[in-house]
């Protein structure tokens, strides 16, 4: 789910954007995820009590891919869950007087686990804050670490990622557009800019 405060936008919805350059190719994304998988294993002293939780939308395929890489390295699977933060966002202006909240299953147990929350872009920190609120409604993990493919700066909340694929300095007018096969049918990270 993307909003004006999020790190990614759908370019089809924003025709006044121009591509400034490609930041990562498909192979660079894959290599970055392999490196991040090794970092997760190292920082967590293995994968005992480890769970990966993807923030909807693009955090989910990132979590799933990391789990596959970790399983190849460690020889056993890692639980993967998905987190929908729609009703936890602080920029949600109208959801009606009585919003319909469906039972949202996480997909794995997080109680007492070392949880790695995954997202595509870390920007203001508001998505992560909403994700933490949503996560703790599902249980009390032992520890929560944040992983982001791209950290673009401009934080509005005191939130930092433990695992960062790449740090990219951006202006307020620039947007990081992450495209993944699972969600977009293509694989790359672009730097785009709003045209005035």
């Amino acid at each position: 789910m993307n909003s004006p405060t999020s790190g990614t936008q759908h370019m089809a919805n924003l025709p006044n954007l121009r591509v400034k350059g490609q930041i990562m190719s498909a192979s660079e994304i894959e290599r970055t995820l392999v490196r991040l998988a090794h970092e997760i294993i190292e920082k967590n002293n293995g994968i005992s009590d480890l769970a990966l939780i993807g923030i909807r939308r693009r955090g989910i395929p990132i979590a799933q891919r990391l789990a596959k890489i970790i399983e190849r390295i460690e020889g056993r699977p890692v639980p993967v869950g998905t987190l929908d933060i729609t009703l936890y966002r602080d920029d949600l202006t109208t959801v009606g007087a009585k919003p319909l909240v469906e039972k949202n299953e996480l997909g794995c147990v997080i109680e007492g686990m070392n949880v790695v929350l995954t997202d595509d872009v870390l920007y203001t920190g508001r998505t992560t804050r909403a994700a933490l609120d949503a996560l703790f409604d599902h249980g009390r993990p032992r520890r929560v670490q944040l992983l982001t493919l791209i950290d673009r700066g401009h934080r509005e909340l005191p939130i930092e990622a433990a695992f960062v694929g790449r740090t990219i300095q951006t202006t307020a007018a620039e947007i990081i557009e992450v495209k993944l096969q699972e969600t977009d049918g293509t694989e790359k990270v672009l730097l785009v800019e709003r045209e005035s």
Side-chain angles (χ1 to χ4, degrees), residues 118-193:
T118 66
D119 204 3
D120 59 344
V121 178
L122 177 55
Y123 181 30
T124 62
R126 293 184 182 277
T127 297
T128 304
R129 185 210 53 82
L132 289 169
D133 289 347
L135 185 71
F136 278 88
D137 277 355
H138 291 279
R140 189 172 187 277
R142 179 187 308 143
R143 175 168 61 164
V144 179
Q145 299 163 305
L146 176 63
L147 178 145
T148 186
L149 185 62
I150 305 289
D151 182 345
R152 62 165 290 190
H154 302 280
R155 216 74 77 241
E156 294 173 3
L157 298 173
I159 289 173
E160 295 302 322
F163 308 102
V164 177
R166 196 173 286 186
T167 301
I168 305 293
Q169 296 303 316
T170 61
T171 67
E174 292 172 331
I175 296 168
I176 300 291
E177 182 74 23
V178 174
K179 302 279 195 183
L180 299 175
Q181 277 299 339
E182 297 90 334
T183 53
D184 307 287
T186 187
E187 188 92 359
K188 58 191 166 187
V189 179
L190 301 173
L191 178 64
V192 299
E193 187 173 43

Side-chain angles (χ1 to χ4, degrees), residues 52 59-69 80 82 118 182:
L52 303 177
I60 295 170
I62 290 170
Q64 292 166 338
R65 289 190 201 180
L66 286 166
K68 286 178 185 166
I69 296 165
V80 180
T82 62
T118 66
E182 297 90 334

